[in-house]
Amino acid sequence: MRLLIVEDDAEAAAYLTKAFREVGHVADHAADGLEGYAMAEGGGYDVLVIDRMLPRLDGLSLIRSLREQKDDTPALILSALAQVDDRVKGLRAGGDDYLPKPYAFSELLARVEVLARRRGAPAAEPTTYRVGELVLDRLAHRVTREGQEIVLQPREFRLLEYLMKHAGQVVTRTMLLENVWDYHFDPQTNVIDVHVSRLRAKVDKGFELPMIHTIRGAGYMVRDSAR
């Protein structure tokens, strides 16, 4: 997806831009409402992520102006104003979604993906993930590789489940912290490295080819090395 983030808080903008790029999207940034309007008017964006309180032109006025120009690019509003009346005003101004601050990036990403899809219901999550001969049964809470059972601790199971859900894709530290550890900040510890190392020892030890790969500078990936 190609996204435009309109956010005047430099730290928040840098975090969002980095996080969206880490999961493979193109993310541009505008630091105020007028700049955001000019960039959005140029077209080509799949979704606009707009902070409500912006200098020069506030977020709701920005969206209204775009709608007056018949620009129907989906717009998600971020705001510290979380009351029902605030959300209603945002939606009536032409916003397609409204996410109060603070928020988890994983939820923001999911909402943005829904807006980009706009049509069609998401497929139901499978009960079993399979990558080559590695099989994870979510209902039985059981993992096997080449028919051999692998006993995992609860956190290790969640970690492998998330990696296998995104098999063949780079999974970033941000994604793991939010979805496996429920952290919405980086604790600046090596907790991920330790757990991945333990998981790798259980899943890959004794087998010819590894399943869990480190993607230097990006994150981790589960893929079938035999292919």
Side-chain angles (χ1 to χ4, degrees):
M1 287 185 293
R2 187 160 181 253
L3 310 172
L4 175 62
I5 299 165
V6 190
E7 170 64 76
D8 62 313
D9 184 313
E11 185 176 348
Y15 170 78
L16 288 177
T17 302
K18 179 175 181 288
F20 277 119
R21 288 174 179 170
E22 281 182 341
V23 294
H25 301 307
V26 175
D28 296 332
H29 171 235
D32 62 61
L34 286 182
E35 182 184 5
Y37 177 76
M39 292 177 68
E41 197 177 25
Y45 292 105
D46 297 301
V47 178
L48 311 174
V49 179
I50 301 174
D51 184 57
R52 179 167 176 167
M53 306 298 289
L54 294 167
R56 301 180 71 197
L57 182 69
D58 69 86
L60 300 194
S61 297
L62 190 166
I63 294 171
R64 284 195 198 96
S65 298
L66 290 173
R67 299 303 183 240
E68 288 170 1
Q69 297 300 316
K70 309 303 181 185
D71 186 329
D72 62 354
T73 305
L76 183 147
I77 301 166
L78 299 176
S79 179
L81 303 175
Q83 298 300 313
V84 172
D85 286 348
D86 298 315
R87 298 199 297 271
V88 169
K89 287 178 182 177
L91 296 173
R92 285 182 173 168
D96 296 274
D97 200 355
Y98 193 107
L99 184 59
K101 299 178 181 180
Y103 54 83
F105 175 73
S106 55
E107 180 181 3
L108 173 60
L109 176 62
R111 287 173 179 262
V112 165
E113 288 173 342
V114 167
L115 290 180
R117 260 196 320 268
R118 302 203 85 177
R119 295 181 180 88
E125 287 221 8
T127 59
T128 301
Y129 293 123
R130 178 186 294 272
V131 180
E133 293 300 318
L134 180 64
V135 180
L136 183 146
D137 187 326
R138 299 173 63 218
L139 297 182
H141 216 268
R142 186 171 183 264
V143 175
T144 60
R145 183 171 179 181
E146 295 183 8
Q148 301 178 37
E149 184 167 3
I150 299 171
V151 179
L152 300 179
Q153 297 299 316
R155 186 77 69 182
E156 294 168 345
F157 187 90
R158 286 183 63 188
L159 175 57
L160 182 61
E161 178 183 14
Y162 194 77
L163 289 169
M164 292 183 70
K165 179 180 179 180
H166 298 277
Q169 304 172 19
V170 175
V171 174
T172 68
R173 286 179 57 86
T174 300
M175 295 167 69
L176 291 176
L177 285 170
E178 290 193 348
N179 293 280
V180 179
W181 276 268
D182 296 319
Y183 289 163
H184 303 303
F185 63 95
D186 190 339
Q188 302 296 320
T189 70
N190 65 344
V191 62
I192 292 177
D193 306 299
V194 169
H195 278 78
V196 169
S197 178
R198 290 174 181 169
L199 183 61
R200 186 179 271 134
K202 293 184 177 183
V203 170
D204 288 337
K205 187 176 180 180
F207 295 95
E208 183 180 357
L209 298 174
M211 284 282 190
I212 302 173
H213 302 266
T214 299
I215 310 302
R216 190 174 298 278
Y220 301 95
M221 180 189 297
V222 164
R223 67 168 182 262
D224 185 1
S225 299
R227 293 189 175 184

